[in-house]
Amino acid sequence: MFKKIDMQNLPVHIGIIMDGNGRWAKKRMLPRIMGHRAGVDALKRVTKSAKKLGIKVISYFAFSTENWKRSKEEVYGIFDLILKHLKENYDEFVNGNTKIMTMGDISKLPKELYELLLDVTEKTKNNTDFVVNIALNYGSRSELARAFTNLAKKGKVDITVDDIKNELYTANLPDPDLIIRTSGEKRLSNFMLFQSAYSELYFPKIHWPDFDEKQLKKAIKEYQSRDRRFGNVKQEKN
Ligand code: FPP
């Protein structure tokens, strides 16, 4: 029951679909935006824990290409929360050793947020300790369409898997070993479809604002109990 995490077998890259903010708020009779606010607190908590545990890359699905369908109030409320988080932690980000990067078409975000994201990603681009990758106005299908368009523009005809990989936002990142989606839904919803070919998937029932270090450790232990074969056969121990 109290099995420890095997530090030699940590996932290098964890992807997180932060679901359940709205349900968390509804349960408390709060407006949805309060759920997102609690979601930012969870993101801060989990990022710190992941870094402390020795995870190298963490990717968060913060805003999808489909999320524009939500009310204006909610959409711009989420952008305001992200802007506030970046402003409040700006010094820590630019003086620390974490690389902050984004994936998705951030040019469509409000100007102030877009410019701050460009600034923070530029100032942290050479950091090596840890990577926080934020998916914003991101959809995996658009990412693939963009990749194929880029390859076509380069005149590529015989396209290899590596050619595609190199055109994705995640070109310089390892594929996610583990993808966590909170709140019980068992689907990827257009998140890293190409990159997740061999990811282990984990769907805890807990809503994202309640996710913490204990939950993260539980997810890692579950990951470590899986038999990752990458298409190979099980290697028997002698
Ligand atoms: C999904 O829950 C959550 C979102 C669409 C937004 C998540 C965004 C944040 C937590 C802000 C990220 C912050 C930074 C700094 C990157 P939902 O609203 O779909 O929940 P529901 O399914 O219960 O309604």
Side-chain angles (χ1 to χ4, degrees):
M1 264 277 103
F2 293 100
K3 210 169 162 253
K4 281 217 156 119
I5 287 179
D6 174 1
M7 298 308 278
Q8 307 311 312
N9 182 27
L10 286 173
V12 175
H13 181 177
I14 300 181
I16 304 190
I17 304 174
M18 306 179 282
D19 200 7
N21 294 348
R23 277 163 280 178
W24 182 93
K26 193 171 176 199
K27 237 171 81 184
R28 288 162 181 78
M29 297 208 296
L30 294 168
R32 292 181 60 82
I33 199 63
M34 297 297 279
H36 296 311
R37 196 154 100 181
V40 176
D41 292 338
L43 176 142
K44 285 195 232 171
R45 231 178 13 239
V46 172
T47 305
K48 278 204 179 90
S49 303
K51 188 172 180 204
K52 191 178 80 185
L53 281 168
I55 305 303
K56 289 292 166 203
V57 185
I58 192 153
S59 292
Y60 290 106
F61 205 176
F63 193 84
S64 75
T65 45
E66 288 74 31
N67 285 151
W68 294 101
K69 291 180 203 151
R70 296 186 179 202
S71 75
K72 242 187 161 161
E73 187 190 355
E74 181 169 352
V75 167
Y76 289 91
I78 292 174
F79 294 152
D80 280 346
L81 284 172
I82 300 172
L83 185 67
K84 187 165 168 271
H85 174 69
L86 290 174
K87 283 184 176 171
E88 280 174 3
N89 298 283
Y90 184 83
D91 291 340
E92 195 182 324
F93 291 149
V94 298
N95 297 318
N97 206 8
T98 293
K99 172 174 173 166
I100 314 247
M101 57 175 275
T102 61
M103 57 179 186
D105 183 3
I106 61 166
S107 72
K108 301 287 185 300
L109 303 180
K111 192 163 179 274
E112 190 184 3
L113 176 57
Y114 170 59
E115 285 175 355
L116 190 55
L117 283 166
L118 285 185
D119 178 31
V120 172
T121 51
E122 172 62 27
K123 291 204 171 107
T124 62
K125 71 175 184 208
N126 295 320
N127 291 348
T128 49
D129 254 17
F130 182 54
V131 178
V132 176
N133 176 32
I134 311 169
L136 278 166
N137 193 20
Y138 172 82
S140 193
R141 288 177 170 180
S142 313
E143 178 187 36
L144 285 166
R146 175 180 171 270
F148 299 145
T149 304
N150 289 345
L151 290 169
K153 281 184 184 159
K154 289 178 187 168
K156 278 268 178 192
V157 178
D158 295 319
I159 295 172
T160 67
V161 169
D162 279 339
D163 290 333
I164 300 170
K165 271 190 181 173
N166 290 333
E167 294 295 341
L168 300 179
Y169 293 111
T170 50
N172 299 312
L173 296 181
D175 286 340
D177 302 291
L178 168 65
I179 294 183
I180 302 169
R181 178 178 187 147
T182 55
S183 235
E185 249 80 58
K186 296 184 177 68
R187 53 178 174 263
L188 290 177
S189 300
N190 211 5
F191 182 66
M192 288 189 159
L193 301 182
F194 186 90
Q195 298 90 331
S196 64
Y198 289 99
S199 304
E200 294 299 330
L201 309 178
Y202 178 63
F203 302 108
K205 286 224 167 70
I206 194 164
H207 297 317
W208 173 246
D210 291 326
F211 204 86
D212 59 11
E213 180 164 308
K214 199 170 143 210
Q215 296 292 326
L216 181 68
K217 286 184 172 166
K218 209 169 145 188
I220 295 173
K221 282 186 216 168
E222 168 65 29
Y223 163 82
Q224 293 180 338
S225 75
R226 307 267 177 97
D227 175 25
R228 301 190 83 197
R229 295 201 296 274
F230 301 96
N232 202 339
V233 290
K234 191 175 169 71
Q235 303 295 313
E236 297 295 342
K237 289 197 183 97
N238 297 319

